[in-house]
Amino acid sequence: MGFICGFSVATGAASRLISGYDSYGNICGQKNPKVEGIINSGLDHSNNKYVFFLDPCKVDLVQRKIKSMALCVSDCPRQELQTLNEVRKFAETNGSALCDYSLSPSQYTTDSKASTLCPKLPVPQSAPIPFFHRCAPVNISCYAKFAEALITFVSDNSVLHRLISGVMTSKEIIMGLCLLSVVLSMILMVIIRYISRVLVWILTILVTLGSLGGTGVLWWMYADNKKSFNENLPLDQLQVSKDNLQALLVYAIAATVFTVILLLIMLIMRKRVALTIALFHVAGKVFIHLPLLVFQPFWTFFALLLFWIYWVMVLLLLGTAGQPSTNEQGFVEFRINGPLQYMWWYHLVGLIWISEFILACQQMTIAGAVVTYYFTRNKKDLPYTPILASVNRLIRYHLGTVAKGAFIITLVKIPRMILMYIHSQLKGKENACARCMLKSCICCLWCLEKCLAYLNQNAYTATAINSTNFCTSAKDALVILVENALRVATINTVGDFVLFLGKILIVSCTGLAGVLLLNYQRDYTVWVLPLIIVCLFAFLVAHCFLSIYEMVVDVLFLCFAIDTKYNDGSPGKEFYMDKVLMEFVENSRKASKDPGSGSESRELKPMASGTSTA
């Protein structure tokens, strides 16, 4: 990607992008060399610093570019010019010729070619500050022809005008509520350990009552219909009644089977739910000892934003790189020939790969900091900044690990995006079978991507614990995830639901505060858009922060698994775990017939034999 950026700059693309160029390949604001075979090339435009389009509204929606002739001028028109005579006076007064270089200002009103070589009338007023040295009309609606329906709707819809005005008048409140959602998310990450037990048991009770109640209602409906069944009905109605009765019986039996299975699963997994609650409690302590973890979403977003800006700038440079050539209109365009013309494909791959790489660096940083916390017996001996220590280890030893993990995700994401693009292009044209196959492939690739992303996250934790390479860490992580499948399922289902309730709590509190603050506006229709903006922002913020919490819980589980395997609490093999997790282990041992080899301890396997946890 560095080569692509260097090539774009070296071929003169940077100056063409920033300063602009006319239809003859001359860069505005400088002296240009002559290009063989191209008329009007090699002009000195040192005094002509702006690009002016004769017909700025002549837009090619397919190629996404302006097809009008472009000229380098010394000044953009500051007011609308209605006639060619006004164009001539503007050229004579300001020294800025708006017609083709072959015409002098005196020929604007006399030459027969002036209608094609001069700008389309009326010449629109240009913006006070040229955009990248381009004369941009004040009214840019013609650049958005593809959105004419939206523009018409906006101009004709008074309700939408009121909504937009509501947003503008409430912008201070919206910003304050967005800040409130950030503060609430930070607070929730600390206190969720105290309310996780309540949320889990509320969830358990609601699921139990819902399944039992639904099953009971179905059996009651079946009994009521059977009691009121009348065999003297007409033949067609009798058959319908029998079918309904049979269907209710099937539904009731299916609901009963589902309820029994669900209750058995909850009975079996009740102890593992206790582990989830204990992990949430310890995760809250992690954030108290490692407060910089709270700011990880900010650093990650900032890094992604910088990279995306760089990526877009290089993409724009690529669009103006290459050698000059004439198109069908006789205008000069710059095209890259040969294999280098496909560089933008690799540039697109780089967008996905490096974005995934930045996210993987966040996961590795969090894993390294939490592992340091867990395996430090005396928390007073923690490094001054475990986060920075983790970043240091990442840069020195583990960049290849996160690069490989990000590349694997990229290999799955690209085919899925290609299939989604094909599906969107063929929408309405393909048959039902092809549509079903495409959707099935997209769904399978999406599932594979999610599974690999979860495995990668645990592989980074294994790397932080054992300091092994990516493949070894991924294998060790997969082994422990498979051997503790029930625990993993419980943590992911119950834990994810608790975190989802946390997101809903933040959105609800932010929305309630929004309603109270917007109450001064009695036109209730203008509440809608500000509240939607605030609630969406609150949900995104809560998701970013609580996803960090989820990563911490997953890392703690793998650390707990290794700790219980290598240590048993005896002298010389003391546990590293927190007291809350130690209580869970003791309770599990008491519940087991054989304290030394209970079911709880048998489920926990090592990641790599002979690996030191120190």
Side-chain angles (χ1 to χ4, degrees), residues 127-147:
I129 301 177
F131 179 76
F132 274 87
H133 293 87
R134 273 79 169 174
C135 297
V138 173
N139 181 14
I140 60 171
S141 60
C142 60
Y143 289 159
K145 291 183 179 179
F146 59 90

Side-chain angles (χ1 to χ4, degrees), residues 366 475 520:
I366 293 172
K475 181 194 69 175
Y520 73 92

Side-chain angles (χ1 to χ4, degrees), residues 477-486 488:
L478 180 62
V479 168
I480 200 169
L481 290 175
V482 171
E483 292 179 342
N484 297 275
L486 288 178
V488 174

Side-chain angles (χ1 to χ4, degrees), residues 363-364 367 371 401 451-489 492 554-555 557-559 561-562 566 603-609 611:
Q363 294 172 356
M364 179 66 82
V371 166
T401 297
C451 293
L452 288 175
Y454 183 71
L455 178 60
N456 279 3
Q457 180 181 324
N458 286 276
Y460 301 144
T461 304
T463 297
I465 295 174
N466 298 328
S467 293
T468 50
N469 60 48
F470 177 80
C471 295
T472 303
S473 300
K475 181 194 69 175
D476 295 337
L478 180 62
V479 168
I480 200 169
L481 290 175
V482 171
E483 292 179 342
N484 297 275
L486 288 178
R487 289 181 182 275
V488 174
N492 282 305
D554 291 336
V555 174
F557 170 72
L558 289 179
C559 295
I562 275 196
Y566 287 112
E603 287 184 2
L604 296 165
K605 306 295 180 182
M607 283 193 175
S609 59
T611 302

Side-chain angles (χ1 to χ4, degrees), residues 303-346:
L304 285 172
L305 184 63
L306 287 180
F307 170 67
W308 290 339
I309 292 173
Y310 159 82
W311 189 87
V312 171
M313 291 303 297
V314 174
L315 184 66
L316 293 174
L317 291 174
L318 276 177
T320 55
Q323 299 300 320
S325 62
T326 55
N327 58 17
E328 63 277 1
Q329 295 176 285
F331 301 153
V332 172
E333 291 183 349
F334 291 87
R335 295 193 180 103
I336 303 174
N337 299 318
L340 293 178
Q341 64 182 309
Y342 301 108
M343 283 192 300
W344 72 274
W345 278 102
Y346 186 83

Side-chain angles (χ1 to χ4, degrees), residues 160-326:
L160 189 61
H161 274 298
R162 289 160 61 197
L163 292 177
I164 295 174
S165 64
V167 172
M168 297 307 296
T169 56
S170 309
K171 57 183 180 295
E172 293 84 3
I173 294 177
I174 293 174
M175 294 175 64
L177 290 172
C178 291
L179 181 61
L180 174 65
S181 66
V182 174
V183 175
L184 289 176
S185 299
M186 291 182 177
I187 295 174
L188 182 63
M189 292 176 72
V190 178
I191 68 171
I192 196 171
R193 64 178 173 138
Y194 300 111
I195 63 175
S196 58
R197 185 184 298 274
V198 176
L199 292 178
V200 167
W201 288 120
I202 289 176
L203 168 64
T204 304
I205 293 171
L206 289 177
V207 170
T208 303
L209 293 178
S211 57
L212 290 174
T215 303
V217 168
L218 285 172
W219 279 113
W220 174 79
M221 292 175 64
Y222 171 74
D224 184 64
N225 277 269
K226 187 175 183 180
K227 184 179 180 181
S228 61
F229 181 74
N230 185 4
E231 296 185 355
N232 298 322
L233 292 172
L235 188 60
D236 55 343
Q237 296 183 15
L238 181 64
Q239 186 62 38
V240 171
S241 297
K242 288 183 177 180
D243 291 341
N244 290 337
L245 195 62
Q246 187 71 20
L248 282 173
L249 179 61
V250 172
Y251 296 155
I253 294 174
T256 303
V257 172
F258 172 78
T259 301
V260 171
I261 294 174
L262 180 64
L263 293 177
L264 288 175
I265 291 175
M266 293 177 67
L267 184 65
I268 294 171
M269 300 179 71
R270 70 188 188 282
K271 294 180 180 178
R272 296 172 181 85
V273 171
L275 174 60
T276 304
I277 296 173
L279 288 173
F280 268 74
H281 191 86
V282 177
K285 292 184 178 181
V286 170
F287 284 99
I288 293 177
H289 286 88
L290 309 177
L292 288 180
L293 277 178
V294 176
F295 298 100
Q296 283 302 301
F298 294 110
W299 315 136
T300 304
F301 175 75
F302 183 68
L304 285 172
L305 184 63
L306 287 180
F307 170 67
W308 290 339
I309 292 173
Y310 159 82
W311 189 87
V312 171
M313 291 303 297
V314 174
L315 184 66
L316 293 174
L317 291 174
L318 276 177
T320 55
Q323 299 300 320
S325 62
T326 55

Side-chain angles (χ1 to χ4, degrees), residues 177-178 181-182 185 503 506-508 510-511 532-543:
L177 290 172
C178 291
S181 66
V182 174
S185 299
K503 297 173 188 177
I506 291 173
V507 173
S508 302
T510 307
I532 289 176
I533 293 172
V534 167
C535 290
L536 285 177
F537 183 83
F539 184 83
L540 290 175
V541 169
H543 175 75

